[in-house]
Amino acid sequence: MGGISDNVTGLVLAISSSVFIGSSFIIKKKGLKKAGACGTRASDGGYSYLKEPLWWAGMITMLFGEAANFAAYAYAPAILVTPLGALSIIFSAVLAHCILNERLHMFGVVGCIICLVGSVTIVLHAPLEKDIESVKQVWHLATEPGFIIYTCVVLVLVAVLIFGFERRYGQTHMLVYIGICSLMGSLTVMCVKAVGIALKLSFSGSNQFIYFQPWLFTFLVIGFCLMQLIYLNKALDMFNTAVVSPVYFVMFTFLTILASVIMFKEWDSQSATDIVTEICGFVTIICGTFLLHKTRDMGGSADEPPSSSSHITIEICNSPRNQYEV
């Protein structure tokens, strides 16, 4: 029952995170428009939005969403939490259609429905969260041969991409930057989950921060997030956001699920049918996400024609949800 209860808590937190983050895009967009009407637009290099309360309300809303997303990893498996990031895309698209009058194309509606079907499929077949009584158990899982090999492979691939391919191919091949971000992102989520579990246990009365492991995981989260920030912004600066976002979502989610399966062995207790169904749900979400991004400008707007350069989106941290418009 504890596993079911934790999964339900994680599910509620993940959905709440999507609602907050999806709403924050719309609130910030409203703030950007209001600030641009009275001063220099952000796309023209202005920072008048920093004086706009509505933009700050959007940022605060996003922080609430990220906090809920962080907490969700402490209660539910990454297989359940990570793919649900697609819900924030759906929520922001629907709100943009209703509030910003940015019409959602018919194919965009189909993309939303496909994402919902994939999300429900994963929710119904996701594995239960394991009962963990100490952060030392997480440390034991992280230091088992399987995950150590995965971590070494990730670090080697990241080093090869940075030192061997970035200078020659980074500005022409999007997968160089996205590969770095996605590989590091999978390790980031594992560290986030470890810190989240430590906090959950500490709040329940069993202080885990007397051990060195939570502090080490916290340090790694900060370092990995900074690295993702640098290389994801490079990708967004060089390539079209409409292409970067879905590709990053797919790679990040796939590698995060792979890392979680290796570290927490979440598929060991599941049948082959459940595993295949989860994979099908993931593929369904991928299809819906690509369709949404591909058709997001086809609907147009009541007051302005669709434009791929109407705003710049900067994504940071450990989740494809984190899109900050400036």
Side-chain angles (χ1 to χ4, degrees):
M1 289 299 293
I4 296 176
S5 176
D6 282 351
N7 268 36
V8 171
T9 302
L11 173 62
V12 171
L13 287 168
I15 294 175
S16 300
S17 173
S18 293
V19 171
F20 278 119
I21 292 174
S23 301
S24 73
F25 297 155
I26 308 306
I27 298 172
K28 286 189 295 178
K29 184 68 173 286
K30 294 280 284 185
L32 286 168
K33 285 187 172 183
K34 188 175 180 181
C38 304
T40 305
R41 295 184 60 180
S43 58
D44 295 328
Y47 295 95
S48 57
Y49 60 86
L50 294 175
K51 300 177 181 179
E52 177 54 51
L54 199 58
W55 185 84
W56 284 107
M59 287 299 296
I60 293 171
T61 304
M62 175 163 283
L63 289 176
F64 276 116
E66 291 305 324
N69 187 44
F70 181 93
Y73 281 111
Y75 288 94
I79 295 176
L80 173 62
V81 176
T82 306
L84 292 182
L87 295 181
S88 65
I89 302 173
I90 297 174
F91 200 72
S92 62
V94 173
L95 285 180
H97 177 80
C98 299
I99 297 175
L100 299 178
N101 208 21
E102 296 178 359
R103 298 190 188 97
L104 189 61
H105 192 271
M106 180 184 68
F107 290 112
V109 175
V110 174
C112 290
I113 294 173
I114 291 174
C115 286
L116 284 174
V117 171
S119 299
V120 171
T121 302
I122 289 178
V123 168
L124 293 177
H125 294 272
L128 297 179
E129 176 72 352
K130 291 185 176 182
D131 291 328
I132 296 179
E133 299 178 355
S134 170
V135 74
K136 289 185 175 181
Q137 288 180 252
V138 181
W139 180 255
H140 175 72
L141 293 171
T143 53
E144 287 192 345
F147 190 71
I148 289 178
I149 291 173
Y150 175 81
T151 301
C152 291
V153 169
V154 166
L155 295 177
V156 169
L157 288 175
V158 168
V160 169
L161 288 173
I162 292 175
F163 299 108
F165 290 91
E166 181 189 359
R167 180 171 297 182
R168 288 184 292 175
Y169 305 109
Q171 296 186 352
T172 56
H173 293 74
M174 177 181 61
L175 290 180
V176 174
Y177 292 138
I178 294 181
I180 295 170
C181 297
S182 300
L183 288 163
M184 297 308 299
S186 66
L187 296 182
T188 302
V189 170
M190 296 303 100
C191 293
V192 164
K193 188 171 180 65
V195 175
I197 290 172
L199 287 170
K200 180 180 71 172
L201 293 173
S202 297
F203 288 142
S204 65
S206 177
N207 184 14
Q208 300 297 303
F209 286 87
I210 59 175
Y211 308 114
F212 78 90
Q213 288 92 342
W215 299 105
L216 176 60
F217 284 127
T218 302
F219 175 78
L220 291 174
V221 167
I222 296 172
F224 292 162
C225 283
L226 289 175
M227 180 173 288
Q228 287 177 258
L229 169 63
I230 293 170
Y231 286 98
L232 193 51
N233 281 337
K234 285 185 178 182
L236 289 165
D237 185 48
M238 296 299 305
F239 305 100
N240 193 325
T241 304
V243 179
V244 172
S245 295
V247 172
Y248 174 51
F249 174 78
V250 171
M251 290 186 66
F252 167 79
T253 305
F254 170 76
L255 290 169
T256 298
I257 291 175
L258 178 61
S260 183
V261 167
I262 294 173
M263 180 171 171
F264 291 96
K265 302 176 177 61
E266 291 158 341
W267 280 351
D268 288 0
S269 60
Q270 288 197 289
S271 65
T273 301
D274 285 331
I275 295 173
V276 171
T277 305
E278 289 167 19
I279 294 173
C280 290
F282 174 51
V283 173
T284 303
I285 291 176
I286 291 173
C287 295
T289 301
F290 270 95
L291 185 58
L292 260 174
H293 278 275
K294 187 67 176 177
T295 62
R296 68 178 186 172
D297 288 333
M298 291 176 63
S301 174
D303 54 2
E304 61 179 311
S307 171
S308 61
S309 60
S310 60
H311 63 272
I312 300 172
T313 302
I314 299 180
E315 303 185 20
I316 69 169
C317 200
N318 65 331
S319 170
R321 307 180 188 201
N322 305 339
Q323 302 179 339
Y324 295 79
E325 293 181 5
V326 288

